[in-house]
Amino acid sequence: MNTSTLFQFFLAILFGGFTILAYQTEKQELESANKKILNEYVEKIAKKHESQGNGETLYTSLSSKFGLQFFQYIDIDDSNNNFTKGTLQATQHSFLEPLFHMDLSHTQALEHGRLQVKILNQIPTANSIAKFEESLSYIWAVFALISLFHILLTLRQKKSIRYIAAKMESLANLNFDAFEQSKTKGEYKIIGQAFEKSQQLLKHKVNLLKEHNEQLTKTAFQDPVTGFGTRARFTEKLNQISDQKQAEVGVLFIIKATELATMNQMVGRDGGDDYLARIANEIRSSLKGNPQASYFRISTADFAIILPSKSLKQGKVIAESLKMAFNEYQQQAGTASIAHIGLVPYFEDTDPVSLMTLADTAVSIAQTLGPNCYHVQEKLTGDELFGESRWKVAINELIRHKAIQFYVQPIRPCRNDVQSYRELLSRFYNSEGKLFPTTTVIAMAERHGMSEELDKLVVLNAIQLLASSTKISGTMGINISSASATNKSFVAWLKDVLIRQRGIAARLVFEVNESGMQTNLSATYHFINELHSVGSRVSIERFGLGFTSFKFFKEVRPDFIKLDHSYTQGICSDPQNRFFVKMIIDISRKLGIRVIATGIEKQDEKLAMEQLLTDGLQGYYIAKPMPLTQEQIA
């Protein structure tokens, strides 16, 4: 039962009570009037001694004073004196008379007989009924007015409630239309104000959720470093192209940032991100006149550009512009290259897998052509060498022609009593004298099982260089792959070469990546012992990334460890990192192992590593890699 019905029920009970009270009041007044009449009758009959012998005479005497509804006198001596007049049942003049019915009967024994009368009280009863009816009219008129007023208020309230309910339902659809305060007056005003405030707060929270969702979407579908679309977006675009209902032709660019690994190693991950962001900016600049172009970062170092409604000829112009921009950036960065570009055409019914195979072939060929080159591949005929097959031929060619050039980057000792060395960095070039991307050459050599031949080329050329030039003094570090270092046949060959060049062997430090060496500790132990036996030393680079790094100290005892550059980046801001580096240095010093910090790019990093008592420092802040012919040879 709702409040409105309860209130009406309460009103009915209340005014029913007023009605009963009015009835009881009138009835009491009627009883008083009837009692007075009856008393007057009793007094009157007591004085009628002279008339008590004749019934009719007595009736005449009494009826002149009282209204008699019924009169009966029975004489005990003479029946002729008997007299009866009227009826016992009164005539009803109003439906309310039963409520006010009172019997004014009186029976009395007289001297000669018995008298029974019923006095007529019609006038007092009619007066009481009239007064009661008047009271009823007032009472229930007031009831009707109050009820009507309440109904009107209820209708007004229901209107406000319906409005608020409708607004609440609209919130389910995130409808935030302005709230009309005029529709929530009175006691509902505070509810309207609270609802409007809640609506505004909800709208604010929904907007925050939308912003958060947009940020999540951006994170999922937009690369944070470059602002390009992610691989998921690229896949969607390729599927659109392959849809035959979409009549679209254009050019697909695949751009490989071939120096990312080098950048991450030499200038840290932040520097690598800057490198990628710079490439992205150069891409945008070269395509700024093509608003329909779509940009994507499809892997760690790979970008894709979909350029609709353009021919290969127009694509070549853009590729040439990119090549020039990359060449300029290369001169500033001092790297072997910046990126390589592959171009392929696409049509509305192009299969995505075939298109990407063609594009990968194009960019792989571009890497073999020299720094920052591009290559256009319209289709695969099967006659040309492409992709990884081309790389295998290219590596064979550079090994056969000994197409290697050395750069050198010094390691600065932190104390006078510490003997350090300079690292030789290998760069490879093609038959036209253009440099290959070093990271790609090494990766492809490992993939095709040619890393041993490549490492032999590096070792033999480094020994030949040191043997032929008396101006190059001091110790030199040479990088070889962990696959070669853990291969017994290669280690036997290397030992044999170094035995024949003992003077040069004593000046060589062989650098090997920690992660590759940890997979076979017994082979690593054999490698280090064999090199120590001929006077050479061993340096473990990228140290500290593996969980078994400390086992290295106990098992293999290298001469140097080069801390991974990630430790340098956090050395000033991360106390735990600083503690870990300090622990490595303390343990290394007790075992007689020299610790070299790499990736030194800032002065505060240099000072922090010196305070931790590292033995040597390497990084762009110390010195950049330089061609060996341009180095100031000590």
Side-chain angles (χ1 to χ4, degrees), residues 6 45 89 94 106 136 166 246 289 324 345 352 371 404 425 434 474 525 563 590 592 632:
L6 285 174
I45 196 63
Q89 295 296 329
S94 172
H106 187 269
L136 285 181
Q246 301 289 333
M324 293 175 62
I404 185 172
L425 303 173
K434 297 180 179 179
Y525 181 78
L563 296 175
K590 292 178 181 179
Q632 298 297 323

Side-chain angles (χ1 to χ4, degrees), residues 209-227:
L209 287 174
K210 286 181 178 178
E211 292 177 4
H212 183 61
N213 185 57
E214 289 175 359
Q215 187 62 39
L216 289 176
T217 302
K218 183 179 289 186
T219 302
F221 296 105
Q222 182 175 331
D223 176 56
V225 176
T226 63

Side-chain angles (χ1 to χ4, degrees), residues 540-606:
I540 303 299
E541 61 176 355
R542 305 297 298 277
F543 186 84
L545 291 182
F547 292 105
T548 58
S549 294
F550 287 104
K551 191 175 182 181
F552 238 78
F553 290 122
K554 180 179 178 181
E555 298 291 339
V556 299
R557 300 285 180 92
D559 302 283
F560 301 90
I561 58 172
K562 298 177 75 172
L563 296 175
D564 185 72
H565 63 272
S566 61
Y567 290 106
T568 300
Q569 292 175 4
I571 199 64
C572 299
S573 58
D574 188 349
Q576 293 182 352
N577 183 37
R578 191 180 182 90
F579 172 79
F580 190 71
V581 171
K582 178 64 176 174
M583 183 170 57
I584 293 176
I585 293 173
D586 290 344
I587 295 174
S588 299
R589 180 159 285 110
K590 292 178 181 179
L591 297 175
I593 301 172
R594 300 296 187 186
V595 179
I596 299 170
T598 65
I600 305 295
E601 309 301 329
K602 302 175 183 177
Q603 185 179 19
D604 57 352
E605 295 172 348
K606 170 181 176 295

Side-chain angles (χ1 to χ4, degrees), residues 153-408:
L153 284 179
T154 301
L155 292 175
R156 180 174 173 271
Q157 290 175 345
K158 285 184 176 179
K159 185 178 180 180
S160 297
I161 291 172
R162 282 194 296 268
Y163 177 73
I164 294 173
K167 293 294 292 182
M168 292 178 67
E169 288 178 2
S170 68
L171 287 181
N173 298 321
L174 300 182
N175 185 352
F176 300 108
D177 292 339
F179 193 90
E180 298 181 33
Q181 291 289 349
S182 61
K183 293 187 177 181
T184 54
K185 296 179 180 179
E187 65 273 18
Y188 288 96
K189 183 177 181 180
I190 187 172
I191 298 177
Q193 291 173 344
F195 183 86
E196 184 178 21
K197 184 177 180 181
S198 299
Q199 178 177 267
Q200 293 174 352
L201 181 61
L202 180 61
K203 183 179 180 180
H204 175 67
K205 290 185 176 181
V206 168
N207 289 335
L208 289 179
L209 287 174
K210 286 181 178 178
E211 292 177 4
H212 183 61
N213 185 57
E214 289 175 359
Q215 187 62 39
L216 289 176
T217 302
K218 183 179 289 186
T219 302
F221 296 105
Q222 182 175 331
D223 176 56
V225 176
T226 63
F228 287 0
T230 59
R231 187 177 183 87
R233 291 294 193 199
F234 177 65
T235 302
E236 290 179 6
K237 187 64 176 177
L238 283 184
N239 290 333
Q240 291 177 11
I241 292 173
S242 64
D243 188 354
Q244 294 185 6
K245 297 179 182 178
Q246 301 289 333
E248 184 176 321
V249 295
V251 180
L252 171 65
F253 292 75
I254 295 295
I255 301 172
K256 182 177 289 293
T258 47
E259 297 300 312
L260 179 60
T262 302
M263 285 290 188
N264 285 336
Q265 184 175 2
M266 303 305 297
V267 298
R269 189 168 297 278
D270 290 340
D273 288 345
D274 293 341
Y275 161 71
L276 293 174
R278 172 70 180 271
I279 291 177
N281 289 335
E282 297 297 351
I283 292 173
R284 288 191 186 95
S285 297
S286 297
L287 284 95
K288 61 183 179 181
N290 298 274
Q292 293 182 331
S294 301
Y295 309 92
F296 308 93
R297 184 182 177 191
I298 58 176
S299 68
T300 304
D302 292 338
F303 301 91
I305 306 168
I306 294 179
L307 189 60
S309 305
K310 296 293 182 181
S311 64
L312 275 179
K313 183 178 180 181
Q314 293 170 310
K316 289 179 182 179
V317 174
I318 295 172
E320 189 64 37
S321 174
L322 275 173
K323 184 177 185 298
M324 293 175 62
F326 291 160
N327 287 340
E328 182 178 349
Y329 181 25
Q330 179 186 351
Q331 292 178 0
Q332 299 171 7
T335 56
S337 65
I338 294 297
H340 293 82
I341 309 163
L343 284 77
V344 296
Y346 68 84
F347 306 94
E348 65 272 11
D349 57 348
T350 302
D351 175 57
V353 176
S354 300
L355 182 62
M356 287 306 299
T357 301
L358 194 66
D360 287 340
T361 299
V363 75
S364 296
I365 294 174
Q367 291 181 79
T368 66
L369 300 178
N372 311 319
C373 286
Y374 66 89
H375 177 74
V376 178
Q377 190 74 34
E378 295 189 46
K379 60 182 179 178
L380 298 178
T381 64
D383 295 331
E384 71 279 355
L385 289 173
F386 52 86
E388 295 187 7
S389 298
R390 188 181 180 98
W391 267 113
K392 186 175 182 179
V393 173
I395 294 173
N396 275 325
E397 285 294 316
L398 73 86
I399 291 174
R400 186 164 61 87
H401 291 99
K402 300 180 181 180
I404 185 172
Q405 181 180 353
F406 287 111
Y407 281 57
V408 65

Side-chain angles (χ1 to χ4, degrees), residues 11-23:
L11 280 181
I13 293 175
L14 179 64
F15 281 85
F18 289 156
T19 300
I20 294 173
L21 181 62
Y23 167 71

